[in-house]
Amino acid sequence: MAGDNSMVCEIISVGTELLLGQIVNTNAQYIARRLAEVGVSVYYQSVVGDNQARLAGAVREALDRADIVITTGGLGPTGDDLTKETIAAVCGLKLVMDEATLEAISERFIRLGREMTPNNLKQALIPRGAQVLPNAHGTAPGCIVNAPGLKQIVLLPGPPGEMRPMLDTHVIPYLADKSGKTLVSRVLRIFGMGESAVEYALKDLIQNQVNPTIAPYAAQSEVTLRITALCSARAEGEQLIEPYIKEIVNRLGGVVYSLNDETLWQVCAGLLKKNGLKLAVAESCTGGMLSSLLVSVPGCSNWFTEGCVTYSDEAKARRLNVSQQTLKRYSAVSGQTAYEMANGIALRSGADAVLATTGYAGPDSGADTGLVYIAAGLGGDISVHCERLNGSREHIRYAACLHALNYLRKMLEKTDEF
């Protein structure tokens, strides 16, 4: 225990690749910085290879001199991923199947369109009595294990893109609560600027941060910023955070689309509802994904009238009155076709606002993979935009939906950028 009665934590990074210098241990640096922000002291850090005996020794030694031990790595499905097994043995606990975790892993494989192999079942085994930490970015859940001497061991995954959100979302609030402090966070969402550009624009704020802290994350096709204040009461935290939010918005401008962790489709829903407007969409390459995102918002029947998936040229002509001349001269993947799709759904639905998407999502189109045309209209005024997108077929379709929603958002907000 530290002399100032603060909690003491020790960090153990697990992985032979760290010892061999094949990857840089950025996890320990990040964890140590975040622990300092919530008043948790770190006196020792260590790196251990994928060896059960040496890891067990390192964990026992850490428990002798710290209140909390945090490990990263070794939670994967392969034979050399031994962190859970080792720590369960050190604490005298059995590994048991966690059904909720197993279901989450299975659903993730289904979403990704991949087969779940039997060794992935290992990732759903949790030390008995442990608190499971969900992994929104991978298949390896974390957990908090009760250790001898009223101490805890926190197991986190090794990939930084999985470890950091889990630490910030679950572990830091847990430790702040144990330290008697309150964490207040606000999440800003950004579309239209990459993570590196966002970090560069906010470089001085991030480098000089003390309290509040700013943590950027790259999500699929967008960026989020989590601003967190350590304080004694929520009102105090809000006062600390507000000036940072104003400064970030001032610097980044219209690419910041939400100050309260809302998705683009939730923001658009709010704007449509606020202004009493109806929306209809016509889709080709997005194949109903855009409509699906929109109808995931509760109460969508108040502002969403219909969605039409017209994948073939014949369907575009029959359902949306896209002219044969346009399809023959410009093809189905063109700005002209996108315009006529938007105009067609507007006439069919009578909606105030419309969106239309057409393009190549790849990889078998044979031409211009990732070329998407988006038409967005309000009150009969339709604009067409061309986007060249990279990634897998599903990523391109999802990114196209986000671009369409972002054009709708800016149109509804009547910004100068539209």
Side-chain angles (χ1 to χ4, degrees):
M1 210 57 174
D4 59 359
N5 292 323
S6 67
M7 287 188 295
V8 175
C9 179
E10 187 156 334
I11 302 168
I12 301 176
S13 304
V14 183
T16 302
E17 67 277 11
L18 295 170
L19 287 175
L20 296 178
Q22 294 173 340
I23 62 172
V24 178
N25 187 9
T26 58
N27 281 346
Q29 178 192 34
Y30 187 84
I31 294 170
R33 186 170 70 241
R34 294 293 280 123
L35 292 175
E37 293 164 4
V38 292
V40 177
S41 301
V42 176
Y43 294 161
Y44 295 93
Q45 298 181 15
S46 60
V47 179
V48 184
D50 298 306
N51 179 282
Q52 195 161 16
R54 287 192 284 272
L55 177 56
V59 171
R60 290 190 181 98
E61 188 174 357
L63 287 171
D64 283 341
R65 58 195 180 197
D67 306 299
I68 296 171
V69 177
I70 295 180
T71 69
T72 64
L75 301 184
T78 61
D80 61 349
D81 291 309
L82 299 168
T83 300
K84 275 190 298 187
E85 292 87 337
T86 304
I87 287 175
V90 168
C91 298
L93 300 171
K94 291 184 178 180
L95 289 173
V96 295
M97 183 65 67
D98 185 81
E99 295 299 330
T101 298
L102 179 60
E103 183 179 355
I105 295 173
S106 302
E107 288 178 353
R108 181 175 179 83
F109 274 95
I110 293 172
R111 288 198 306 272
L112 295 174
R114 292 163 48 195
E115 181 181 356
M116 179 176 167
T117 55
N119 57 352
N120 286 109
L121 293 172
K122 171 184 175 181
Q123 295 183 292
L125 291 172
I126 304 296
R128 188 182 297 277
Q131 175 183 336
V132 177
L133 306 177
N135 187 344
H137 302 275
T139 57
C143 59
I144 300 175
V145 180
N146 291 321
L150 301 178
K151 299 183 178 184
Q152 285 84 39
I153 305 175
V154 180
L155 285 67
L156 299 176
E162 299 177 30
M163 187 284 294
R164 292 186 180 190
M166 189 180 294
L167 179 80
D168 290 344
T169 303
H170 301 289
V171 180
I172 294 301
Y174 171 80
L175 295 177
D177 183 64
K178 288 177 70 69
S179 68
K181 296 290 185 179
T182 297
L183 277 180
V184 178
S185 293
R186 293 276 295 279
V187 175
L188 278 59
R189 285 179 171 256
I190 297 161
F191 185 82
M193 181 181 286
E195 183 185 21
S196 59
V198 170
E199 287 199 66
Y200 186 79
L202 306 177
K203 184 178 180 181
D204 58 313
L205 295 179
I206 295 173
Q207 287 182 342
N208 298 323
Q209 62 184 342
V210 179
N211 189 31
T213 59
I214 304 171
Y217 302 113
Q220 189 174 355
S221 300
E222 59 180 315
V223 177
T224 62
L225 290 174
R226 181 181 295 275
I227 307 170
T228 304
L230 180 67
C231 51
S232 300
R234 183 165 190 86
E236 176 191 350
E238 295 287 357
Q239 286 184 335
L240 289 170
I241 288 173
E242 196 59 37
Y244 282 81
I245 291 178
K246 290 181 179 178
E247 180 61 21
I248 290 169
V249 172
N250 182 57
R251 294 191 190 188
L252 301 185
V255 297
V256 181
Y257 71 82
S258 173
L259 304 181
N260 296 292
D261 199 21
E262 294 176 298
T263 62
L264 267 169
W265 49 95
Q266 288 172 327
V267 169
C268 289
L271 290 168
L272 289 163
K273 184 176 180 181
K274 176 183 176 182
N275 293 292
L277 301 174
K278 303 290 186 179
L279 171 70
V281 302
E283 303 182 63
S284 182
C285 63
T286 50
M289 184 181 288
L290 181 56
S291 296
S292 179
L293 293 173
L294 289 164
V295 300
S296 69
V297 181
C300 60
S301 59
N302 293 317
W303 46 265
F304 185 68
T305 62
E306 62 184 283
C308 185
V309 179
T310 54
Y311 215 74
S312 67
D313 288 6
E314 187 274 334
K316 291 178 178 66
R318 176 171 48 85
R319 300 290 299 276
L320 301 173
N321 294 323
V322 177
S323 73
Q324 293 290 348
Q325 181 180 1
T326 295
L327 292 168
K328 184 176 180 180
R329 181 175 180 181
Y330 299 106
S331 85
V333 180
S334 64
Q336 291 82 1
T337 294
Y339 180 91
E340 291 190 21
M341 288 174 66
N343 190 58
I345 196 67
L347 293 174
R348 283 183 63 91
S349 66
D352 308 289
V354 293
L355 289 173
T357 63
T358 185
Y360 299 117
D364 300 322
S365 63
D368 293 322
T369 297
L371 174 65
V372 178
Y373 288 93
I374 298 166
L378 180 63
D381 183 14
I382 300 173
S383 297
V384 178
H385 311 269
C386 177
E387 302 292 343
R388 293 188 179 274
L389 307 170
N390 298 312
S392 67
R393 183 176 179 84
E394 288 304 295
H395 178 86
I396 289 170
R397 292 175 61 224
Y398 181 71
C401 291
L402 293 189
H403 278 281
L405 291 166
N406 197 48
Y407 285 125
L408 175 63
R409 171 187 71 92
K410 291 194 286 186
M411 183 171 62
L412 293 172
E413 291 177 344
K414 296 181 173 61
T415 68
D416 294 334
E417 298 173 41
F418 185 77

